[in-house]
Amino acid sequence: MRPLPIDQGTVLIIGAAQGMGRELARLLARRVRTLVLVDRQAQALEPLREELLLHYPTLGVLVESCDVCEPQQVDSLLSSLDAHFVRVDVLVNNAAEGAPGLYAQEDWARVEAMLRANVWVPALLTHRLLGPMLERGRGGILNVGSGAAQLILPGSATFAATQRFLDGFTEALRLEVEGRGVTVTRVAPGPLLADGAEVDPQTAPFFQLSLERCARQALAGFERGEALVYPGLGHRWVMRLLPLLPRSLKRGLGRMALRGLRREQLRLPRQTSPLLQLPGEPSPT
């Protein structure tokens, strides 16, 4: 397989304002020619843009406001890039959303938003950009997901289901483009430490991983052409062991998690805030 067109290439990052998207932008800035940073609100990207240009004055940084759940806005974004002769070499799908809650109690708008962000968006953007990559015989797609694809997660039924979609989508897509110069990789993080968060001494450093280290390992696996990247040693071993467990044991672990969730719901009032970022999951657009 040809090397990824990262060096002096153009990388489009969805959900670049925070989380993994922001860390990947910081890592890629020293190597690429152009970064296209996308978020629903362009102003949320300005601090990152200023930071990158301060360290890399010759870097091309395009900040684009786009609701990637809307096909017309996606088409307008890509048409605008094409009109300015900006060719996307690598797509980073990092638009996932997640919020804990029992499915029957969820507001449908929240469920629909999760489905659109976690399923619709990567499918749509990949459909728009994969064809031109195949025509050039060179490109890359990095899907940022979660280890939840391997788990039975009551309280996160929709989120876990969307991660299974991303897993199957990525694996099938890899076979479709095999030998045609395009790399397709899924990164599935576990618990991640947000900026400024304190390390839990009971689990660190085996499970908890900083966003920066997670992004480094994700990018390294992507460049090696790996199908699936589990950042962090502890997380990697657990994810490799899970497929060996009988489903009955996985259900038992799920029941334990559910009991904990119900106890938490009894202690806390019902949350009505917008979709929240799950620990270890990619940032929303």
Side-chain angles (χ1 to χ4, degrees), residues 199-234:
V199 176
D200 183 347
Q202 294 183 345
T203 60
F206 196 62
F207 284 109
Q208 292 183 327
L209 198 68
S210 70
L211 281 166
E212 191 269 341
R213 285 186 61 197
C214 181
R216 284 187 183 278
Q217 293 184 27
L219 188 57
F222 185 39
E223 290 200 86
R224 289 192 297 266
E226 295 179 6
L228 174 60
V229 179
Y230 287 126
L233 180 61

Side-chain angles (χ1 to χ4, degrees), residues 102-116 158 270 275:
L102 299 177
Y103 187 78
Q105 299 173 3
E106 287 296 329
D107 180 76
W108 177 250
R110 287 160 61 93
V111 174
E112 185 177 20
M114 209 182 307
L115 290 170
R116 290 178 70 85
T158 304
R270 171 76 177 156
L275 285 167

